[in-house]
Amino acid sequence: MGGEAKKLPRIDFSEVDPSAPGGQAWGTARGEVMDALATFGCFEAHYPALAPRLRAELFEGAVRPLFALSADAKRRNCYGADRPFHGYLGDVPGFPGYESLAIVDGTKDESVRGFARLMWPDGGDNSDSFCGTVVEAAQRIFQLEEAVRRMVMEGLGVAKHHDALSASMWHLFRMSEYKAPNAAEKVVRYGAHQDTNWLSVVCQHEVAGLEMQSRGGEWIVVQPSPTSLVFMVGNELRVPTLAVDAS
């Protein structure tokens, strides 16, 4: 891994209103989305609505205190034995230095408050500030994710199914921490993989820890930006390539 020669396609959503489909800005962005997903399977979205102020509050004011909690506290983030990957992940074999927590339906105030009560049973400032920040950030991200999903369905000619698909979906808001290596060397904390969902949206903080593989096999280092998100196609949206041996 580790090539920096290429960059992901960058799409400007600053003039797109996620709540108002249609219009020139929407159509232009939709064309760029379809082209980027067809050629790269991912793109960088310039999205000033998720402002640097909110990002700072999310990472420094909400996420950092969360990961400072004890391992026993973080293990309370559990959605049952039948959904082991929906909650806390830590000390996972093969993933040294990786730890994460997740909130099912993290765009909903009641879901985030339920998570906060598990982490901070006694309440307090951490719990209140965490809830407000996470709900606001998750909703901003979800607004753009839904707009991109609608654009994809329009581009595929199946826009009439958007509402039914949206009603059947749920969202996982996952917060992850990757421990820095002790030396100035590159260390893979979470190995190469494909996501199984429809779309993944990644918001990086300061460190260029994400790499994407192009169709040509080249690894592209995704530089973090204070105004961008990274969108990636999951396996639910991928079209399998079929081959026939006629020999």
Side-chain angles (χ1 to χ4, degrees):
M1 297 185 185
E4 295 190 47
K6 290 186 177 181
K7 294 183 178 180
L8 298 186
R10 191 172 188 270
I11 302 175
D12 187 357
F13 286 87
S14 59
E15 300 299 323
V16 175
D17 183 351
S19 64
Q24 182 176 352
W26 179 279
T28 299
R30 181 182 62 204
E32 294 176 356
V33 165
M34 296 303 293
D35 183 62
L37 294 184
T39 56
F40 273 79
C42 55
F43 63 86
E44 179 185 357
H46 176 60
Y47 186 50
L50 188 66
R53 181 271 310 170
L54 180 55
R55 287 172 181 257
E57 292 177 359
L58 175 64
F59 286 106
E60 299 298 334
V63 175
R64 192 177 296 279
L66 177 65
F67 282 101
L69 294 173
S70 68
D72 286 341
K74 287 179 279 194
R75 290 191 185 100
R76 293 197 288 265
N77 176 216
C78 177
Y79 289 93
D82 59 329
R83 295 193 288 179
F85 298 107
H86 289 187
Y88 173 70
L89 296 175
D91 297 323
V92 180
F95 300 96
Y98 171 76
E99 192 177 29
S100 71
L101 299 99
I103 306 173
V104 174
D105 288 329
T107 59
K108 299 177 180 179
D109 184 75
E110 61 270 25
S111 299
V112 178
R113 292 197 177 279
F115 173 87
R117 284 193 293 270
L118 290 176
M119 298 297 105
W120 296 281
D122 298 329
D125 293 340
N126 274 340
S127 176
D128 290 339
S129 61
F130 177 90
C131 292
T133 298
V134 168
V135 169
E136 183 181 0
Q139 288 179 350
R140 292 286 178 89
I141 295 170
F142 168 71
Q143 287 170 355
L144 186 60
E145 185 272 337
E146 185 174 35
V148 169
R149 182 161 26 93
R150 182 185 291 272
M151 289 177 179
V152 170
M153 297 190 75
E154 288 176 356
L156 295 175
V158 291
K160 65 180 181 180
H161 298 296
H162 171 266
D163 292 345
L165 177 66
S166 293
S168 70
M169 284 186 163
W170 55 274
H171 296 81
L172 191 69
F173 186 82
R174 180 167 292 281
M175 298 155 285
S176 302
E177 181 179 67
Y178 302 82
K179 299 295 184 183
N182 294 324
E185 60 178 329
K186 179 170 287 190
V187 176
V188 177
R189 294 299 190 195
Y190 202 110
H193 64 282
Q194 293 181 352
D195 291 342
T196 60
N197 54 355
W198 232 78
L199 286 170
S200 292
V201 186
V202 176
C203 181
Q204 292 194 105
H205 183 52
E206 295 182 348
V207 178
L210 176 66
E211 296 187 30
M212 302 295 296
Q213 189 177 31
S214 69
R215 290 186 180 275
E218 180 180 0
W219 286 95
I220 303 170
V221 176
V222 182
Q223 298 294 338
S225 163
T227 60
S228 293
L229 299 168
V230 177
F231 277 73
M232 298 176 287
V233 166
N235 285 339
E236 287 292 325
L237 194 53
R238 291 177 182 269
V239 177
T241 300
L242 304 180
V244 176
D245 187 354
S247 59

